[in-house]
Amino acid sequence: MERYSEKVGAFVRGLVLDDVPSEVREKAKLILLDTLGIALASSTMDFGHMVLDVARVLGGARESRLIGTQQKVAAANAVLANGTLAHGLDYDDTLEEAIVHTGCCGAVTALAVGEATGASGKQMLEAAVAGIEVMCKVGLVAPGKFHARGFHPTALCATFGAAAAAGKLYGLEASQWADAFGICGSQSSGIIEYLADGTWSKRLHPGWSGHGGIIAVLLAAKGFRGPASVFEGKHGFYRSFGGDGEYHLERLAELGKSWEIRRIAFKSYPCGSISHPYMDCALKLRRKHSFRPEDIEEITCRTAEGPVHRLWEPLKEKQRPATSYGAKFSLPYSIAVMLVRGRAGLEEFSDQAIHDAELLSLAEKVRYELDPTIDYPRHFSGHVRIKLRGGTILEESQPYPRGGLESPLPPEEIEDKFRANAGLVLPREKIEKIVASVKNLERLPSIEALSSLLTPD
């Protein structure tokens, strides 16, 4: 009987970009552009400097660009840094039901290994599509189960997505794919204990997992063996990280028949994606009605039980986040930001902003109530009800996040987001060259033409 690892490998090996629907290819390019902008912005920040320094120390053959620098290191070490940069601001894309961020794995790995192998833009895009689709399907087998057990879905699934992208470019033989994915099962990791104190381990997850996926491919190419039953086995990936229960393994067999890239959502705000529909509701209320933050008596949000331990509890701590990174996973704080400032950019999740007395005073008024009818994680929905002094009730709901399939962002807005993020590092002329290169990615004879632009003058 053919194992699922073999089926996934057959999909990746047989994937031809010309067979991928044009709207999927175009969206994959926007995911790449969005990812590069976030990584460039992160390269200016303290955590970015740290992970780039570590990648330089690890070094290796000068194969792949460290984004935002002049240096190149071995591909796996470049992905360790670049994947961390791409996810470090929590500003990157998300597939709702699987709760995975994809560009920080699929696009970043395809770029680094594409450089190492001398790939064309078309080959690199082909690998990115493969990596993103595999990562999404691996997550869709177990929606909500990883978070419930204290694991970060992106961290777990990114290893397989990175292996798909890397293996496509390294040219794994048919017999080697099961070994590569089997090794990935032991490389996947990532716990969500960062929620306890707002520390940084989540930022590292895609970088570490992408690094692990490349290592798995390189080992498999040498003949190193891994369990072919990694997905369905009694001690396999899903039962180890998700526990006993029913899993939708048939989703893995849907690769190439349905395309998840279509459903991936782009972020408008640099914080946890589940928060976004709530923040949109708060912004709509602010724009529709004339009230001051001090007029608010209480704010109540309906939520599914799944996100409570990440965004709501312990409530007192979420109302006064201890760190700027922890604020990204606090719905009380995020809602207060929208109602007070009417925007949520990088500045609103800074060390200065989290000490703003007006924001914290309003965040203390935000509560939640459980709503079992919310179909989470299939959909990220939002609801905000404001009670003003005097008894007036203002209420807004949103069934899905802006930026996804139901309410897509126009390409021009994603390009402007890239320009704003990349502008922290690069001059205008180079930024426009990157935009043009990504738009014409299939026609680049070498991916080096793009990667060489990702460095300050």
Side-chain angles (χ1 to χ4, degrees):
M1 183 179 69
E2 187 180 29
R3 298 291 192 178
Y4 280 102
S5 59
E6 295 166 335
K7 293 180 180 181
V8 176
F11 159 75
V12 178
R13 192 164 182 264
L15 179 67
V16 177
L17 190 64
D18 291 341
D19 295 336
V20 177
S22 60
E23 67 269 26
V24 173
R25 297 198 303 267
E26 292 305 309
K27 189 164 183 181
K29 290 192 286 188
L30 287 174
I31 290 172
L32 170 63
L33 186 69
D34 188 50
T35 300
L36 293 177
I38 298 161
L40 284 164
S42 294
S43 73
T44 70
M45 300 181 183
D46 48 4
F47 75 90
H49 295 156
M50 295 172 193
V51 73
L52 287 167
D53 284 345
V54 169
R56 291 186 188 99
V57 171
L58 293 174
R62 297 184 72 253
E63 296 177 325
S64 308
R65 173 80 57 194
L66 292 173
I67 292 175
T69 80
Q70 300 280 355
Q71 288 83 39
K72 288 188 175 186
V73 295
N77 295 332
V79 167
L80 173 66
N82 295 343
T84 303
L85 297 177
H87 185 57
L89 300 178
D90 256 87
Y91 212 176
D92 49 328
D93 65 85
T94 310
L95 179 65
E96 284 178 74
E97 187 178 355
I99 325 177
V100 293
H101 306 278
T102 69
C104 57
C105 162
V108 163
T109 302
L111 178 66
V113 179
E115 286 184 88
T117 58
S120 67
K122 183 176 182 179
Q123 291 170 316
M124 180 263 168
L125 182 57
E126 195 173 68
V129 169
I132 291 170
E133 287 291 329
V134 167
M135 182 178 180
C136 289
K137 294 295 192 190
V138 170
L140 288 170
V141 172
K145 286 185 178 290
F146 297 142
H147 265 151
R149 297 254 295 183
F151 295 108
H152 182 201
T154 297
L156 302 186
C157 302
T159 320
F160 297 94
K168 182 73 173 170
L169 289 164
Y170 282 129
L172 277 190
E173 297 177 4
S175 61
Q176 296 170 333
W177 280 102
D179 288 326
F181 290 131
I183 297 167
C184 282
S186 291
Q187 296 279 76
S188 296
S189 63
I191 61 174
I192 59 175
E193 185 60 16
Y194 65 89
L195 291 167
D197 52 12
T199 43
W200 297 355
S201 53
K202 180 176 183 284
R203 287 171 154 153
L204 177 66
H205 288 169
W208 182 251
S209 296
H211 179 277
I214 293 176
I215 297 300
V217 166
L218 294 175
L219 286 170
K222 295 291 186 182
F224 200 98
R225 304 303 307 278
S229 57
V230 61
F231 293 121
E232 66 268 38
K234 179 180 178 181
H235 303 292
F237 175 71
Y238 291 108
R239 288 184 175 85
S240 295
F241 290 108
D244 292 330
E246 295 296 319
Y247 292 97
H248 306 288
L249 285 161
E250 69 278 2
R251 301 302 296 267
L252 298 175
E254 295 171 2
L255 281 160
K257 300 173 184 176
S258 60
W259 299 92
E260 301 306 330
I261 286 174
R262 286 192 174 109
R263 301 198 294 133
I264 288 172
F266 293 98
K267 284 188 178 183
S268 302
Y269 316 121
C271 59
S273 51
I274 304 168
S275 302
H276 288 212
Y278 292 90
M279 296 167 72
D280 288 339
C281 288
L283 184 59
K284 289 175 186 175
L285 289 169
R286 186 182 192 272
R287 289 173 173 172
K288 283 183 180 180
H289 306 281
S290 297
F291 60 84
R292 299 170 301 171
E294 56 265 32
D295 296 331
I296 297 173
E297 185 175 304
E298 185 179 59
I299 302 168
T300 306
C301 302
R302 293 199 304 268
T303 179
E305 187 172 1
V308 168
H309 73 290
R310 298 196 302 286
L311 300 176
W312 289 107
E313 292 290 354
L315 185 58
K316 290 294 183 184
E317 294 176 17
K318 293 295 185 181
Q319 290 168 337
R320 300 185 70 88
T323 69
S324 56
Y325 191 66
K328 292 174 179 284
F329 309 100
S330 162
L331 253 171
Y333 178 84
S334 298
I335 289 170
V337 160
M338 299 308 282
L339 291 172
V340 172
R341 298 195 176 185
R343 65 183 186 276
L346 296 177
E347 181 183 342
E348 278 63 50
F349 293 92
S350 65
D351 290 337
Q352 294 74 30
I354 65 168
H355 298 294
D356 184 319
E358 188 177 17
L359 290 177
L360 297 178
S361 176
L362 188 56
E364 289 181 346
K365 299 177 182 180
V366 183
R367 307 283 188 273
Y368 71 92
E369 57 186 31
L370 293 178
D371 182 351
T373 68
I374 296 175
D375 189 15
Y376 171 86
R378 185 179 296 275
H379 299 293
F380 294 175
S381 60
H383 165 264
V384 176
R385 182 173 69 245
I386 296 175
K387 181 181 178 182
L388 300 178
R389 290 190 175 92
T392 300
I393 301 295
L394 308 175
E395 196 161 6
E396 189 73 46
S397 295
Q398 184 168 300
Y400 40 72
R402 184 170 179 268
L405 182 63
E406 299 89 349
S407 181
L409 299 182
E412 296 78 17
E413 189 168 334
I414 297 166
E415 290 174 10
D416 285 344
K417 176 186 171 184
F418 166 79
R419 291 183 176 99
N421 285 325
L424 299 176
V425 184
L426 303 180
R428 182 75 179 184
E429 182 181 358
K430 190 170 280 190
I431 289 171
E432 295 308 320
K433 286 182 179 179
I434 294 171
V435 173
S437 295
V438 173
K439 282 184 175 179
N440 296 286
L441 192 60
E442 301 98 319
R443 291 183 282 279
L444 293 184
S446 170
I447 199 61
E448 179 69 25
L450 172 61
S451 66
S452 63
L453 297 171
L454 304 175
T455 178
D457 292 335

